[in-house]
Amino acid sequence: MKWNNIFNRETSKEKKEYSRPGDGSKAILYYLVAIYIGYMGYSILNNRLTGDDTLSYPVAILFTSVFAIGAAWIVWYATKLRKNASTAEIQGDTMEELHETVPENIQEETKNY
């Protein structure tokens, strides 16, 4: 990839994204991780607001924002993963269509399977 193509959006649109079986169930796990990370950020700020002076206010706000941004990014990624998995299921190729993409010499060998 050339350096000037990094910020070119046309090359990223041409990139075809593939999904694997099980990406939908991985997305659910990612959602649960995001909830836990968001809860950790909430508990840090909540402890500081209730009077726990282990962390100062700026440090508590910093950690809370880092955890909140991380949780938001994980939710975004899980949504993207789930969307790709659902479109792959809709566009699912039949075995005959997949068989047509295989070279002819392999088609003859696997014809009876």
Side-chain angles (χ1 to χ4, degrees):
M1 173 180 255
K2 294 182 180 178
W3 181 254
N4 60 355
N5 286 340
I6 290 176
F7 297 108
N8 189 359
R9 292 182 180 248
E10 292 177 4
T11 57
S12 64
K13 288 180 184 175
E14 294 172 2
K15 179 182 173 187
K16 187 174 182 180
E17 295 186 18
Y18 296 100
S19 67
R20 294 172 282 180
D23 279 349
S25 59
K26 275 187 197 176
I28 295 171
L29 183 64
Y30 284 134
Y31 285 130
L32 293 174
V33 168
I35 289 170
Y36 180 68
I37 290 174
Y39 174 73
M40 286 187 340
Y42 166 76
S43 66
I44 287 173
L45 189 62
N46 189 30
N47 286 343
R48 180 60 191 141
L49 293 176
T50 57
D52 184 17
D53 55 350
T54 304
L55 298 173
S56 65
Y57 280 109
V59 173
I61 292 171
L62 175 73
F63 282 140
T64 300
S65 62
V66 167
F67 282 129
I69 291 170
W73 182 81
I74 291 173
V75 166
W76 170 81
Y77 181 73
T79 305
K80 180 181 171 186
L81 197 65
R82 192 163 178 141
K83 179 182 168 189
N84 288 343
S86 66
T87 57
E89 290 172 3
I90 292 171
Q91 298 172 352
D93 296 327
T94 62
M95 289 304 288
E96 291 80 20
E97 292 172 353
L98 291 174
H99 194 69
E100 291 173 1
T101 61
V102 177
E104 291 180 12
N105 59 348
I106 298 175
Q107 283 183 7
E108 294 173 7
E109 295 173 6
T110 60
K111 192 176 194 180
N112 297 326
Y113 291 111

